[in-house]
Amino acid sequence: MACYRYSWSRPRLRGAWRALSTGATTPGWLDFVFGRRCGGAAGAAGAAGASDADPVAAGLGLVLHHNFITEQEEAALLAHADRLLLGTDYSQAHYDQVIERYREASVTTFDDPDAAAAVRRLRLTGWAATAGAPRRGKTMYPHVQLIDLPPEGRIHPHRDNMKLFGEFTAGLNLLSPAVMRFVPLKAPAAAGVGAGVIDVLLKPRTLYVMHGALRWQYTHEVLDAAGTAEALGKSTAAGPQPPGLERGRRVSVIARDTGAAGFFGGLW
Ligand code: OGA
Ligand code: MN
């Protein structure tokens, strides 16, 4: 199967890691998705930008917002995560686990005002992105999930629980760059959304919302350090991993709405 990369991936990626290494901020919508597209006509659908305004990204159900929270808010969220998680062990790899090497916590309220403000915006952004969707649960899921992955930790391909959870999953990517990979359940043409495997680079403090096709018709996964290096190497013509984008310890903050079951309220 013919696979190719978006022709503009490299210059945009270069710009992105320059921004990372200098600490420069790039306000506004994250300016790129990179990835491979496989197949004929589907692959020729054109470059995908990554903002709500971009028809390809919007059609897929992807919202990306770089620098969505401030460094102060990130620090507050990490402090909360550390209070709950430091000192607990990362789970050992297990063959049937969706997540390999991780520790996690569920949180309903954040006392720190910066952390609370960041989570409130996270939730509202996910909710707003799915305005008008057939929201079966009608409410936000009360828990926010904190997931802590060491460099060798990864989240295997899966879809979020179809009954328990609703129309969106909104995530904040903290501490380390990470690559999120989306793979269509069906062949691209059958899926009708015109894209094959999509790799999305999340930078520290990037928000993503997956909804629509990406929520229902794609699996998602978060690559470990080795997978990240491989994915990023492929996304540049030169091959080696761009500096500053190594996957280190990564913490995510995940918000969702409720699904058909409501909150622990029905069949699931
Ligand atoms: C999950 C998940 C993604 C992330 O917890 O189901 O896919 O960004 N998390 O941590
Ligand atoms: Mn998930």
Side-chain angles (χ1 to χ4, degrees):
M1 189 189 302
C3 297
Y4 68 96
R5 293 184 286 271
Y6 304 144
S7 59
W8 43 261
S9 287
R10 192 165 180 237
R12 295 217 177 188
L13 183 60
R14 190 186 289 142
W17 40 276
R18 191 177 298 131
L20 261 187
S21 59
T22 61
T25 55
T26 315
W29 294 98
L30 184 65
D31 51 1
F32 64 95
V33 170
F34 64 92
R36 287 164 286 145
R37 290 191 172 193
C38 302
S51 79
D52 257 0
D54 184 280
V56 177
L60 288 169
L62 175 65
V63 175
L64 279 173
H65 197 308
H66 183 49
N67 289 323
F68 182 76
I69 62 172
T70 65
E71 288 178 10
Q72 192 171 319
E73 289 168 336
E74 181 185 37
L77 288 167
L78 288 170
H80 198 106
D82 283 351
R83 271 198 304 280
L84 294 172
L85 298 173
L86 283 188
T88 66
D89 291 335
Y90 288 110
S91 73
Q92 294 305 308
H94 190 264
Y95 72 97
D96 64 355
Q97 269 179 348
V98 167
I99 314 186
E100 191 174 317
R101 301 280 299 157
Y102 72 102
R103 49 194 186 188
E104 67 175 336
S106 286
V107 180
T108 46
T109 51
F110 291 82
D111 291 338
D112 183 285
D114 288 315
V119 168
R120 182 175 159 77
R121 292 206 309 284
L122 168 73
R123 290 180 141 155
L124 288 176
T125 304
W127 190 267
T130 46
R135 210 186 297 278
R136 299 156 300 153
K138 312 264 188 279
T139 61
M140 203 72 82
Y141 202 78
H143 299 295
V144 164
Q145 196 182 357
L146 304 177
I147 304 174
D148 179 349
L149 297 176
E152 69 278 14
R154 59 179 290 196
I155 301 180
H156 290 284
H158 69 282
R159 281 185 296 175
D160 287 2
N161 191 296
M162 310 291 273
K163 285 187 177 172
L164 191 57
F165 300 128
E167 294 298 316
F168 72 86
T169 298
L172 289 174
N173 182 70
L174 306 183
L175 213 50
S176 163
V179 171
M180 198 153 188
R181 174 167 292 168
F182 297 92
V183 180
L185 294 168
K186 297 184 191 158
V193 289
V197 175
I198 300 167
D199 285 350
V200 178
L201 177 61
L202 306 173
K203 296 193 271 186
R205 294 180 289 110
T206 295
L207 162 127
Y208 68 82
V209 182
M210 70 176 108
H211 61 101
L214 285 186
R215 193 290 185 234
W216 301 108
Q217 294 167 36
Y218 283 68
T219 60
H220 57 273
E221 59 199 282
V222 176
L223 307 184
D224 60 13
T228 303
E230 198 196 339
L232 292 171
K234 279 187 187 149
S235 75
T236 66
Q241 175 163 5
L245 292 181
E246 290 81 12
R247 230 313 300 285
R249 178 186 170 214
R250 181 242 186 200
V251 171
S252 55
V253 183
I254 310 291
R256 303 179 173 93
D257 56 345
T258 55
F263 177 57
F264 298 146
L267 299 171
W268 48 286

